[in-house]
């Protein structure tokens, strides 16, 4: 499958100055930017910066960033699901995962995440894909925000819905292990019915086990 990536950008005014939201950005462009030391949700900043560069080099990889001047303060990643996850058990060229989203604490509440996701969906190529995200409460910064799991989930749902992602039921054991976890997805306008059927199979792989 050909992965067409059309670059888009916008400016976002915040109480801490103007941000540029842009992407998909190339690996070379990512190398040229600084990476904020507050981006620590998944791994140490230097390692995460390197991981984003590697994702940007993948044929399907898409990185959307928010930056203030030359400093990256937030990002969203899109790539094929991890081979160890259920979502890759049926090989689908047209299913990609919103794998990670992070914004430094200083800019939370400024709609940075929402606008990064919204910008990513302005690329017409996204209409060829089923885009999923798996939300697990143990990835959420409950301590840093002081929110409970339900309030945090509301924030995540609102942010994802800005890009057209909706709640989908699934019997995936990890998602089913806690009621705050959820699967959200956006099915592009040009996705074939056969792919939607495969996605439904992935969502309910345990239905014939009992």
């Amino acid at each position: 499958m050909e992965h067409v990536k059309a670059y888009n950008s916008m400016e976002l005014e915040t109480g801490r100055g103007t941000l540029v939201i842009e992407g998909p950005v190339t690996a070379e462009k990512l190398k040229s930017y600084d990476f904020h030391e507050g981006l620590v949700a998944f791994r140490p900043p230097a390692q995460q910066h390197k991981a984003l560069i590697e994702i940007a080099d993948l044929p399907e990889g898409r990185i959307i960033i928010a930056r203030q001047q030359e400093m990256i303060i937030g990002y969203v990643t899109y790539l094929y699901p991890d081979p160890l996850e259920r979502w890759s058990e049926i090989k689908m060229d047209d299913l990609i995962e919103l794998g990670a989203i992070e914004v430094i604490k200083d800019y939370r509440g400024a709609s940075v995440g929402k606008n990064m996701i919204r910008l990513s969906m302005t690329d017409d190529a996204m209409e060829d894909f089923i885009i999923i995200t798996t939300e697990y409460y143990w990835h959420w910064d409950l301590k840093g925000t002081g929110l409970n799991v339900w309030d945090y989930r509301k924030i995540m749902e609102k942010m994802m819905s800005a890009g057209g992602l909706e709640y989908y039921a699934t019997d995936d054991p990890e998602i089913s292990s806690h009621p705050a976890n959820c699967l959200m997805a956006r099915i592009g306008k040009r996705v074939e019915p056969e792919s939607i059927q495969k996605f439904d199979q992935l969502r309910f792989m345990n239905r014939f086990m009992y």
Side-chain angles (χ1 to χ4, degrees):
M1 182 173 187
E2 185 182 2
H3 292 275
V4 179
K5 305 175 189 179
Y7 171 87
N8 289 289
S9 69
M10 62 169 283
E11 290 190 351
L12 178 66
E13 298 297 333
T14 76
R16 291 179 171 268
T18 303
L19 298 180
V20 173
I21 296 176
E22 62 179 347
V25 288
T26 64
E28 288 304 312
K29 184 65 88 171
L30 283 169
K31 288 176 188 175
S32 73
Y33 291 144
D34 296 318
F35 199 74
H36 198 281
E37 62 184 13
L39 294 168
V40 295
F42 299 99
R43 50 175 71 88
Q47 291 180 27
Q48 187 61 19
H49 193 188
K50 185 180 178 214
L52 296 188
I53 292 166
E54 290 172 356
I55 292 169
D57 259 342
L58 296 172
E60 83 282 4
R62 293 169 177 267
I63 305 292
I64 310 297
I65 62 168
R67 61 179 173 85
Q68 186 165 48
Q69 297 177 342
E70 303 301 301
M71 177 68 73
I72 296 172
I73 61 90
Y75 61 86
V76 179
T77 71
Y78 294 89
L79 70 166
Y80 282 137
D82 189 302
L84 299 177
E85 291 184 349
R86 159 188 295 222
W87 313 105
S88 62
E89 286 192 27
I90 299 176
K91 177 62 178 170
M92 295 180 64
D93 289 338
D94 54 358
L95 187 147
I96 57 174
E97 182 173 14
L98 193 168
I101 180 166
E102 185 178 8
V103 177
I104 65 169
K105 290 181 180 179
D106 289 349
Y107 285 93
R108 289 180 191 168
S111 297
V112 179
K114 186 185 295 185
N115 278 286
M116 286 193 294
I117 293 172
R118 189 177 285 145
L119 180 93
S120 66
M121 301 305 173
T122 60
D123 186 346
D124 181 66
M126 292 302 224
E127 300 301 337
D128 295 319
F129 293 98
I130 297 173
I131 299 157
I132 66 165
T133 184
T134 51
E135 293 301 327
Y136 304 115
Y137 82 90
W138 50 80
H139 287 164
W140 301 340
D141 185 15
L142 301 175
K143 185 177 179 182
T145 59
L147 297 173
N148 63 41
V149 289
W150 302 110
D151 288 338
Y152 206 108
R153 174 170 160 168
K154 284 178 188 173
I155 288 173
M156 295 305 293
E157 285 184 340
K158 191 173 181 181
M159 184 162 58
M160 297 301 168
S161 67
L165 284 86
E166 303 173 351
Y167 171 84
Y168 279 80
T170 179
D171 61 12
D172 177 72
E174 275 203 285
I175 291 173
S176 303
S177 69
H178 192 283
N181 296 342
C182 66
L183 168 71
M184 297 186 74
R186 178 187 187 275
I187 298 176
K189 295 173 185 173
R190 292 190 295 270
V191 172
E192 297 289 339
E194 181 186 356
S195 290
I196 298 173
Q197 188 176 12
K198 286 181 181 177
F199 177 50
D200 289 340
Q201 286 179 272
L202 285 170
R203 289 196 296 127
F204 294 106
M205 294 184 77
N206 299 331
R207 62 170 53 165
F208 302 117
M209 290 178 64
Y210 305 100

